Amino acid sequence: MPRKPFVPGAAVVVAAALAAGLTGCTGSSSPDSDATDAKSGSAATSSPAAEPGRYQTLPEACGLPSRGVIHRMLPGDGQALSDTEAQKVYGGQADITYDTDRRVGCRWTRETTAGTRHLGLDIQRVVSYDSAVSDDDKAQALYDKKELAAQIPSGGAGSPSPAAPSPSASKSKEKGEGVVTNDATDKSAADKGATGKDATGKSSAGAQGKAPSGSPSQTSDPSTDPSADPSGSTAPRVLVDLGDAAFLNDKLVTADSGVHRDVTVVFRTSNVIVKITYDQWSTDKTMLPDSQELQDKARSLATELSDSLSE
C-alpha cells in the first residue's frame, strides 16, 4: 500500500492550538484572583468594631457591700440579734436572675420599733450588639433614660427635700393617700402661713433676714442644716464625683399606713449601671425620716461599690 504523505505544517497547527488552549486555561484564573483581592481589600477598609466594655462578668451582689456599711444603713433599736437573725438581716436576699453575668441584685430589711428600713442593690452589665455602638455608649444611653425618668433637674440641683415635719403640712397630707413630694415648696408655704417661718424654722422676713416683731431671731449652722446650703444639698441632683455619670433622687411619700422617704442613687461605670434604693418607713407621720442621713449613707455605699468595681 502507498503511505500517506507526512505534512509538517499540520503538526505545527495542532501544537499551536494546544498552546492556545493551555494559555486560555491559565488566563481564566485571573478574574477570580482579582475578585478575591477586591474582596479582601474591601474588608480591610471597613470600619473597626466598637470597643467592648470593661466588665465581662459581675460580682455576687449580696457579698459586694462591706458588712460595716450594711450595719450602719440598717441600725437597730438597742436589741441584740441572734446569729441566725443577724445573718438573715445583714446577709441579704439575692434577687433571682436568669443570667448572673448580665444582672445581679440583693435586698436587705431591718424592722425596729421606730420603723423599717429597706436597702436594695441592682447591678446591670450592658452589652451592645451593634458593632457601631460601644458597650459604654449603650450603657450611657440607658443611664440617660433613667435620669430622664427620675426628672432630675438639668442644672444638677432642685428644691431642698423636706427635712423636718410641720403640723399644718402633716394635717394636709393626712387627707390624701400616697402623696409624693421631692421638694419643700408646699410645706414651706403652709408653715409660713401658720407661723411666719419656713420649714427650717427661719424667719420668712425680707432679704435682711430680720425676724418679725416680737419673735426671737433664728440662726442656722450650715454644717448641720442642709437647707442652709444655697445649692440645695438634699435636692434631687446630678452627682459629679461618682463613677462616669451619677444622680441622686429623694422622695417623701405619705400614705394612710405612715410616711416613708425613698432615696435612690444611680451611677454608671463603663458598661455597668448600679442602682441603690434606700428607704425608711415610719408609722408616725409627725416623724419624717431624715433626708440628710439617708442620702449620706446611700452615697457612702455608692462610693464603696464604685471603688470595688474599679479595682
Side-chain angles (χ1 to χ4, degrees):
M1 292 179 62
R3 295 182 178 179
K4 293 182 178 181
F6 175 73
V7 182
V12 173
V13 171
V14 171
L18 290 175
L22 292 175
T23 303
C25 293
T26 305
S28 63
S29 63
S30 178
D32 292 340
S33 300
D34 293 342
T36 302
D37 293 340
K39 289 181 180 179
S40 62
S42 62
T45 57
S46 61
S47 299
E51 289 292 329
R54 174 180 180 180
Y55 303 99
Q56 302 301 313
T57 60
L58 290 175
E60 194 274 316
C62 292
L64 190 57
S66 65
R67 185 58 66 94
V69 169
I70 299 298
H71 271 271
R72 289 191 293 272
M73 299 185 77
L74 304 175
D77 51 5
Q79 298 180 356
L81 297 175
S82 66
D83 292 342
T84 302
E85 291 173 332
Q87 178 59 34
K88 181 179 179 180
V89 171
Y90 301 119
Q93 179 67 44
D95 291 346
I96 299 176
T97 60
Y98 296 100
D99 187 352
T100 54
D101 282 337
R102 292 294 300 276
R103 195 160 202 159
V104 294
C106 193
R107 299 288 179 270
W108 296 262
T109 301
R110 180 73 187 272
E111 297 181 2
T112 67
T113 55
T116 302
R117 296 199 186 199
H118 302 89
L119 172 63
L121 175 60
D122 179 84
I123 307 176
Q124 178 183 5
R125 184 174 70 91
V126 180
V127 177
S128 172
Y129 294 100
D130 186 346
S131 61
V133 179
S134 68
D135 292 346
D136 284 21
D137 289 342
K138 179 68 174 179
Q140 182 63 40
L142 293 178
Y143 167 86
D144 290 340
K145 290 181 179 180
K146 294 179 182 293
E147 183 178 316
L148 182 63
Q151 298 181 339
I152 302 301
S154 58
S159 302
S161 187
S166 65
S168 57
S170 298
K171 290 180 181 179
S172 63
K173 290 179 180 178
E174 287 175 1
K175 296 179 182 179
E177 168 69 23
V179 179
V180 182
T181 178
N182 59 4
D183 60 48
T185 304
D186 55 345
K187 191 166 76 66
S188 297
D191 288 350
K192 287 180 180 180
T195 65
K197 299 177 182 178
D198 63 14
T200 64
K202 295 180 181 180
S203 169
S204 59
Q208 292 80 4
K210 296 181 180 179
S213 176
S215 299
S217 60
Q218 300 289 332
T219 59
S220 176
D221 181 0
S223 64
T224 59
D225 184 1
S227 60
D229 183 353
S231 65
S233 63
T234 62
R237 62 199 181 277
V238 170
L239 302 176
V240 297
D241 56 350
L242 179 62
D244 297 318
F247 71 84
L248 180 148
N249 202 6
D250 186 332
K251 292 184 179 180
L252 183 68
V253 182
T254 303
D256 288 343
S257 58
V259 60
H260 61 96
R261 183 179 294 281
D262 304 332
V263 172
T264 304
V265 175
V266 178
F267 71 90
R268 178 186 73 83
T269 174
S270 185
N271 61 318
V272 164
I273 298 177
V274 179
K275 180 180 180 181
I276 298 170
T277 55
Y278 185 38
D279 63 71
Q280 179 181 355
W281 287 72
S282 175
T283 55
D284 185 353
K285 296 180 182 180
T286 65
M287 298 299 293
L288 302 186
D290 183 75
S291 179
Q292 190 70 53
E293 179 207 354
L294 297 181
Q295 289 192 23
D296 287 347
K297 290 180 176 180
R299 292 189 63 180
S300 177
L301 174 58
T303 300
E304 179 183 280
L305 296 180
S306 179
D307 292 343
S308 298
L309 290 171
S310 299
E311 291 177 353

